[in-house]
Amino acid sequence: MRFLFVSNSDSASAWQKALQQARPDITTMVYPQIGDPALIDYALAWRPPSGLLASLPNLKLIFSIGAGVDGLVDDPTYPRDIPLVRMVEWGLTEGMTDYVVWQVLSWHRQAVLYWRDQQAKRWKPRHRKVARERTVGILGLGVLGQDAAIKLAGLRFRVLGWSRNEKQVPDVECFHGEAGLVQVAAQSEILVCLLPLTNETVGILNRDLFAQMPKGACLINAARGRHLVEEDLLAALDSGQLSGASLDVFHDEPLPNDHPFWDRPELVITPHDASLTSPRTATQSIVDAIALCEAGKPVPNLVDFERGY
Ligand code: NAP
Ligand code: GLV
């Protein structure tokens, strides 16, 4: 059985080794050394060159290295007749929850202000709310959003969640649809975006949404750069409507040197590594899906191309 790995990351040999260990009958080819395209059964891909996947005539399944599949399905040549499995694995989920909890606690406890005080050798105790008095909204109650929401609720934050369909999540007040978004935005002192990037969600973090949020609220975007209208964020920071944001994802990555975000003290910038898929934690989910596919059984976490996620 032949497996193709295609990504510009430096993790190819780690994937080869992990897949070989889990399924010794798998030969992993690393793009651009693909051999005979007709022999490739499965592909594991992150932003593959346009047309590559469509040129493999006997593919049975495509695995996205990321939870987000926009980098695959936005390519007009993407072969929509081949099932696409989005990445769901415990390391990716727990890594994202660590990031969200880290950033929520940082804004809740005003970490940026303490850092500035320390730089200025300023001793300034502050009165503030405790977690149960702070409302955190999570846009996207999927695999990542739910895990983060449940952990934040466990820390006693009041947690609101927003999804497309109606949902019930323990200790989380759930909202859905357009009206639900207004209710979540209006109450969220810290708003976290964990939505997939689709036609419906592109540009959702914009001036209209910020205007509905409580004055001085904070934003955390760990989903995709194109969810955010970047100039609207700068305007909201200038006016004080938002007091800060944590951004892990950007329109252009790496964030260009001359981008105004770099110079804003109200922003916490990380390099699209809020959470990363690792062969150490993800290989089992891939070989499990291959086994189901071989047995002719339904494979979980398939992308719905109509919905876009
Ligand atoms: P998921 O399980 O597919 O969940 C997506 C959630 O978004 C679902 O709750 C879905 O609602 C909701 N949603 C989608 N479209 C919506 C709409 N129009 N209105 C309201 N809610 C909508 O995805 P996931 O695994 O949690 O991943 C989420 C995203 O995180 C990925 O797509 C990726 O872009 C991003 N990500 C970023 C990093 C990073 O390092 N920065 C790492 C991993 C993932 P329903 O439940 O009703 O379907
Ligand atoms: C990372 O951005 C992912 O989608 O997993």
Side-chain angles (χ1 to χ4, degrees), residues 32-108:
Q33 264 80 51
I34 69 172
D36 181 352
L39 295 182
I40 306 287
D41 302 289
Y42 301 97
L44 175 63
W46 176 256
R47 300 188 197 287
S50 178
L52 173 70
L53 296 173
S55 74
L56 308 174
N58 293 317
L59 268 185
K60 298 179 180 70
L61 276 184
I62 297 171
F63 293 90
S64 167
I65 294 179
V69 297
D70 45 293
L72 289 158
V73 300
D74 287 355
D75 176 0
T77 72
Y78 183 84
R80 286 171 180 247
D81 51 331
I82 315 284
L84 170 62
V85 184
R86 64 194 196 79
M87 189 53 72
V88 175
E89 58 104 355
W90 61 266
L92 188 63
T93 305
E94 293 183 15
M96 181 57 81
T97 295
D98 289 351
Y99 170 86
V100 172
V101 170
W102 170 38
Q103 295 307 322
V104 167
L105 281 172
S106 291
W107 291 113
H108 168 60

Side-chain angles (χ1 to χ4, degrees), residues 19 29 57 71 85 92 111 123 133 157 178 200 210 243 281:
L19 286 161
M29 313 297 289
V85 184
L92 188 63
W123 184 266
E133 299 168 309
F157 287 100
E178 267 179 52
E200 282 76 45
F210 301 152
S243 61
T281 55

Side-chain angles (χ1 to χ4, degrees), residues 66-70 86-88 92-93 96 99 139-146 162-167 175-178 193-198 200-201 204 221-224 227 248-249 272-277 307 309:
V69 297
D70 45 293
R86 64 194 196 79
M87 189 53 72
V88 175
L92 188 63
T93 305
M96 181 57 81
Y99 170 86
L139 305 184
L141 278 180
V143 173
L144 303 182
Q146 283 200 32
W162 185 63
S163 53
R164 215 163 62 113
N165 303 294
E166 197 170 347
K167 281 211 158 28
F175 299 82
H176 66 284
E178 267 179 52
C193 180
L194 281 173
L195 289 164
L197 187 68
T198 66
E200 282 76 45
T201 65
I204 195 168
N221 186 16
R224 285 292 183 265
H227 285 121
D248 184 59
V249 287
H272 198 151
D273 69 349
S275 191
L276 299 172
T277 302
R307 283 187 328 185
Y309 67 100

Side-chain angles (χ1 to χ4, degrees), residues 83-260:
L84 170 62
V85 184
R86 64 194 196 79
M87 189 53 72
V88 175
E89 58 104 355
W90 61 266
L92 188 63
T93 305
E94 293 183 15
M96 181 57 81
T97 295
D98 289 351
Y99 170 86
V100 172
V101 170
W102 170 38
Q103 295 307 322
V104 167
L105 281 172
S106 291
W107 291 113
H108 168 60
R109 292 297 298 239
Q110 300 175 293
V112 168
L113 299 187
Y114 285 95
W115 175 242
R116 279 187 227 151
D117 285 348
Q118 185 176 339
Q119 303 281 295
K121 302 187 179 171
R122 192 166 45 228
W123 184 266
K124 189 178 175 201
R126 291 185 166 82
H127 289 283
R128 68 184 92 73
K129 297 179 175 186
V130 293
R132 72 173 70 224
E133 299 168 309
R134 182 82 70 194
T135 302
V136 181
I138 311 244
L139 305 184
L141 278 180
V143 173
L144 303 182
Q146 283 200 32
D147 196 68
I150 290 167
K151 296 288 170 9
L152 290 169
L155 292 172
R156 299 206 182 91
F157 287 100
R158 175 177 176 233
V159 183
L160 316 180
W162 185 63
S163 53
R164 215 163 62 113
N165 303 294
E166 197 170 347
K167 281 211 158 28
Q168 289 192 333
V169 180
D171 301 321
V172 177
E173 296 170 48
C174 296
F175 299 82
H176 66 284
E178 267 179 52
L181 180 59
V182 176
Q183 287 174 281
V184 171
Q187 300 177 73
S188 296
E189 299 165 271
I190 302 173
L191 187 68
V192 182
C193 180
L194 281 173
L195 289 164
L197 187 68
T198 66
N199 292 339
E200 282 76 45
T201 65
V202 64
I204 195 168
L205 306 175
N206 60 36
R207 70 176 65 210
D208 295 339
L209 187 81
F210 301 152
Q212 291 162 29
M213 291 166 67
K215 179 112 181 147
C218 300
L219 175 73
I220 298 172
N221 186 16
R224 285 292 183 265
R226 284 171 54 227
H227 285 121
L228 175 66
V229 180
E230 293 187 339
E231 55 275 24
D232 288 2
L233 174 62
L234 290 169
L237 292 171
D238 288 339
S239 70
Q241 177 56 24
L242 293 188
S243 61
S246 303
L247 303 176
D248 184 59
V249 287
F250 304 89
H251 283 222
D252 295 322
E253 296 179 0
L255 186 64
N257 271 347
D258 59 353
H259 197 288

